[in-house]
Amino acid sequence: MLSGTFAIQCCSRSPGQAGVQNREKLFRWAAESRLDPNHPNNAGMMYMMKQAGGIAQAQDYYRLEQLQEEFNFATDEQISASRRFRLLRLRDSEVPEFRSLRMIPANEQEIQKDVFAAYEKRKHAASVETVSHSGIDAHRAAVTKYLKQLREQIIQKLRVAQHRRTLQDMVYEEQVPDIGTLGTDLLRLTEPRHPLRPTRKERKKVTAQNLAGTQVKILVNIVRGFDLPVRAAEDVQNLSSVYGASQTVSRTGLKLHESVAMTTLASCSLVRPYVEVSFQGSMQRTSVAEGPNPTWNEELEISFKPPNSDFSPTSLQSIKDKLYFHIFDEVVMDVLQDDRQRGSVVQQRIERRWLGKIALPFNTIYLNSKIEGSFHVLSPPVLLGYAYEDRGPRGDGLGVQGWEASSGNTYLTMFITIEPYLILPEKIEGKFESSEAPSLLSGVEAWRSSFTNLFPQRNIKTSVLDMSGKTVFIMLYIHPLKPPDVLLNETASTLSIYEQVAHYVSLIPSIDDSVIYNSVCDIWSTCNQFLQLLCGDEEEHAVLLCNYFLHLNKRAWLCIGFAVPEGQTTYVLTEESRDVYWLWCASGGEHYSVRDSFCPMQAVWCLVNEDNIWANIQQHQHPANISYNLSKARDWKALFSKSSPRPALTTVQPSSLTYLPTNEQHMHDLEERIERTLREKIMEWRPRHITRWNRYCTQAFRQLLPRLEQTGGAPPADEVATHLEGILASYQLFGYPLHMPYTDMRDVIAAVAATRVYASETSDIEYALAVYIHPYPCNVLSVWVYVASLVRKR
């Protein structure tokens, strides 16, 4: 390339018209070559061009690549239209449809033209859904969009934190042997050996690369059930009349065997349950058992398909599907109308009546590898035609004396695992920013490490990440906060107020952190952020409930431990009286005595309040077997003590919470939309029959549902009978009131579909459906759906 000075010299040696032509060529050459105007060697040419009018004004930038256009082998439009370049860019961005791609063809002709069809369809569906949202659903959509943005910010900070290495991370140094380690090794030689004692071997972990084409299954071993509801006496009398008629002399002169009738009557007088397991559209069921405490001991296999056939931990953690367990009672109905034909003709119809369900998120099963124990079955609050048997004192059968047994609750004992054993995500560790002094952080970490060395199986927490990505001590989240005024009824009992507050907290939708942030990082939001987002995991629910209890002058602590089926979780421990303690499941609104044999909490690791953290250093960790006297240093190891007092720390919670009222019009619109959608779905699920709606029964349900919300789902039996007296006199009624927090329309439809109340092949059946939504402050909604089928009595 010619320099500017040499070009000027060439131009100056060209006199006359030729010089003018050379000057014009020089100006054109300077424009095409993008000559740097700020380079010192080009100062003379820039001055001459400015004097001759060859340049309007001096450029105010410095071009690093003067020949960029010569090296542009494709235009921006061509690059944007390239399928291969777009595929590479989407894979690098970890888009779900493409992040599992291992190899991308080098030639664009080898890439299918419809490779982006699923991706474009998902984007279009999300945009259409966002536009169609209005009212309360618009708030849910805005929260979902905000959480996606927050997830990207958190992941970026986690990646930066991973690059902060210490000497121990980079250099691995084996410990120099000393007399202590040598003595331990010598003692191992003298230990007694037990060749006949079986040792549990850890299952071999299968990486995501080796799972391509491998069928992954969820193994479910259903053992037994406890305290299932049995059929009411009226149902038994109807059946006894049917089988009693069969003992008369038939037209053939033969009398039916009485033992057959009595055996059939005995089986019908209780319950014949079976369990149906469903996941991702596949379904399996057990055989039919007998009685309120059935035993199955059956193993079911449920197929599992990850999204886009991606078995990576990142993809598996993003799965929102749930494993559902539904308990049904199989009822054999006699439909023979002519009693004279009972000796020779049998006409029966098998019906199944829904008794309850258990919902387990796949993420819980995946992160815990296996889950076993007794699971609480969520039963409808009103189950017409069924009642619980009266039970006297019963032994726990677990070797623990003095335990209490829950009454009126159904439980299912199961074992659940995934085969083959999937690789768990690596825990992201790194040093994050913190507002606390480094000396305090190092002291807390030393305290936690000393406890972990003594009890490696007890995973306690001292600090978590807030939504800005900074490290915060757990106890700074504990601060008394006033609940909404509508929950503080002065005429109600103290226990009723506590249960009402717990009910309000449980109505906030629950979603795990690993699903939101797609990583194994524990991010806690403050109570005001929690109420604004209207979603969170067990920790946010427990913190809010604990803060409410503290405002109500109730002694409460966060209880971190292990529960079934949640795994590592957080409950709320309260002191009811001397040596009487309750554990509250904040996300479910339920409370259990620590001595309850069916309490979900199986291990207590540490307790937290606004002043201190106590680690459980007792030999036992089950809630029923430990002491809760925190002043005993031999039982509880405190983070702060007299020798190391607690420094002045500021809570992250606000001084008070602002409760915005829920828009009544939006709530009524949502109520009408849910009822209209459910009616259309029920008619869609019965394509071969006409669906008739009983308006009189629907009106009775609409009057009953508000009362169910007021009584916490437990209205007096005579009150229910009063509302349905006219209907029960003329119809056989089978139905259930379903209660749930509102998340979206899909969850409501799935809850109604799971009851199978629509699955009746008779044409003379009628249906009734009513929806009621009770609003609470901050758009917290309590949704009730009463769906039932009616058959006119003959």
Side-chain angles (χ1 to χ4, degrees), residues 145-188:
K145 184 177 180 181
Y146 169 74
L147 289 177
K148 290 181 180 179
Q149 299 175 354
L150 181 62
R151 171 196 165 202
E152 298 299 330
Q153 298 176 5
I154 295 296
I155 290 178
Q156 184 63 30
K157 290 189 176 183
L158 290 173
R159 290 174 179 173
V160 173
Q162 282 183 303
H163 292 285
R164 298 176 183 173
R165 304 294 184 181
T166 61
L167 178 63
Q168 291 75 13
D169 298 330
M170 306 303 296
V171 179
Y172 176 73
E173 295 179 337
E174 294 185 359
Q175 184 180 1
V176 179
D178 54 9
I179 187 63
T181 57
L182 291 176
T184 304
D185 294 337
L186 292 175
L187 289 175
R188 289 178 181 174

Side-chain angles (χ1 to χ4, degrees), residues 381-384 703-725 728 737 786:
V382 176
L383 201 56
L384 294 176
Q703 298 175 4
L704 180 61
L705 289 180
R707 186 57 182 161
L708 290 176
E709 177 66 26
Q710 295 174 4
T711 59
D718 55 350
E719 186 173 344
V720 177
T722 302
H723 281 88
L724 305 178
E725 181 179 3
L728 295 176
Y786 208 134

Side-chain angles (χ1 to χ4, degrees), residues 349-368:
R349 182 178 69 247
I350 297 178
E351 293 185 356
R352 51 182 184 177
R353 302 175 184 176
W354 185 70
L355 302 181
K357 72 172 183 177
I358 300 173
L360 291 181
F362 171 81
N363 202 49
T364 301
I365 306 172
Y366 168 59
L367 294 179
N368 291 281

Side-chain angles (χ1 to χ4, degrees), residues 314-510:
T314 303
S315 175
L316 294 176
Q317 287 183 103
S318 62
I319 298 176
K320 298 182 180 179
D321 297 329
K322 294 183 179 181
L323 185 66
Y324 289 98
F325 301 84
H326 296 279
I327 302 179
F328 290 93
D329 176 24
E330 186 175 277
V331 182
V332 179
M333 302 295 295
D334 186 89
V335 295
L336 185 62
Q337 299 182 1
D338 191 353
D339 292 339
R340 296 172 299 177
Q341 299 179 355
R342 292 192 181 278
S344 58
V345 178
V346 176
Q347 290 185 2
Q348 294 178 338
R349 182 178 69 247
I350 297 178
E351 293 185 356
R352 51 182 184 177
R353 302 175 184 176
W354 185 70
L355 302 181
K357 72 172 183 177
I358 300 173
L360 291 181
F362 171 81
N363 202 49
T364 301
I365 306 172
Y366 168 59
L367 294 179
N368 291 281
S369 299
K370 64 177 181 179
I371 299 177
E372 58 181 330
S374 297
F375 301 79
H376 181 220
V377 178
L378 297 179
S379 302
V382 176
L383 201 56
L384 294 176
Y386 289 85
Y388 288 93
E389 284 189 332
D390 294 333
R391 299 182 305 169
R394 54 179 292 181
D396 49 74
L398 299 175
V400 180
Q401 301 298 327
W403 278 23
E404 302 172 2
S406 299
S407 60
N409 292 321
T410 302
Y411 293 88
L412 204 61
T413 302
M414 298 182 295
F415 174 84
I416 308 167
T417 187
I418 301 176
E419 185 66 31
Y421 185 44
L422 302 178
I423 290 291
L424 297 179
E426 297 181 0
K427 187 175 182 179
I428 300 178
E429 295 182 354
K431 294 183 178 180
F432 300 90
E433 299 179 3
S434 178
S435 303
E436 311 303 336
S439 59
L440 179 60
L441 294 174
S442 60
V444 173
E445 181 61 25
W447 177 84
R448 190 189 68 84
S449 300
S450 63
F451 172 80
T452 306
N453 294 333
L454 295 175
F455 303 96
Q457 301 298 328
R458 302 181 186 182
N459 187 12
I460 65 173
K461 298 178 182 179
T462 57
S463 60
V464 293
L465 294 180
D466 62 3
M467 299 190 71
S468 62
K470 293 184 178 181
T471 303
V472 179
F473 289 132
I474 288 184
M475 53 193 172
L476 300 184
Y477 281 87
I478 308 302
H479 181 71
L481 293 173
K482 183 180 180 182
D485 292 333
V486 295
L487 306 178
L488 305 179
N489 188 356
E490 297 180 355
T491 60
S493 63
T494 305
L495 179 59
S496 299
I497 295 177
Y498 294 153
E499 291 178 343
Q500 185 69 13
V501 169
H503 174 66
Y504 171 75
V505 175
S506 67
L507 291 176
I508 304 176
S510 180

Side-chain angles (χ1 to χ4, degrees), residues 521-586:
C521 56
D522 206 2
I523 299 176
W524 288 24
S525 60
T526 59
C527 292
N528 55 339
Q529 294 170 342
F530 181 41
L531 290 176
Q532 291 174 2
L533 297 177
L534 283 182
C535 68
D537 57 2
E538 295 92 350
E539 287 85 0
E540 279 84 4
H541 287 81
V543 168
L544 182 61
L545 182 60
C546 183
N547 292 338
Y548 283 163
F549 283 162
L550 291 176
H551 177 82
L552 299 174
N553 298 321
K554 189 179 186 65
R555 295 193 65 189
W557 301 265
L558 282 185
C559 180
I560 299 176
F562 185 88
V564 176
E566 298 92 342
Q568 181 175 341
T569 186
T570 303
Y571 276 38
V572 178
L573 177 71
T574 59
E575 184 181 18
E576 302 301 320
S577 60
R578 185 176 180 180
D579 296 333
V580 177
Y581 295 89
W582 285 0
L583 283 166
W584 298 73
C585 177

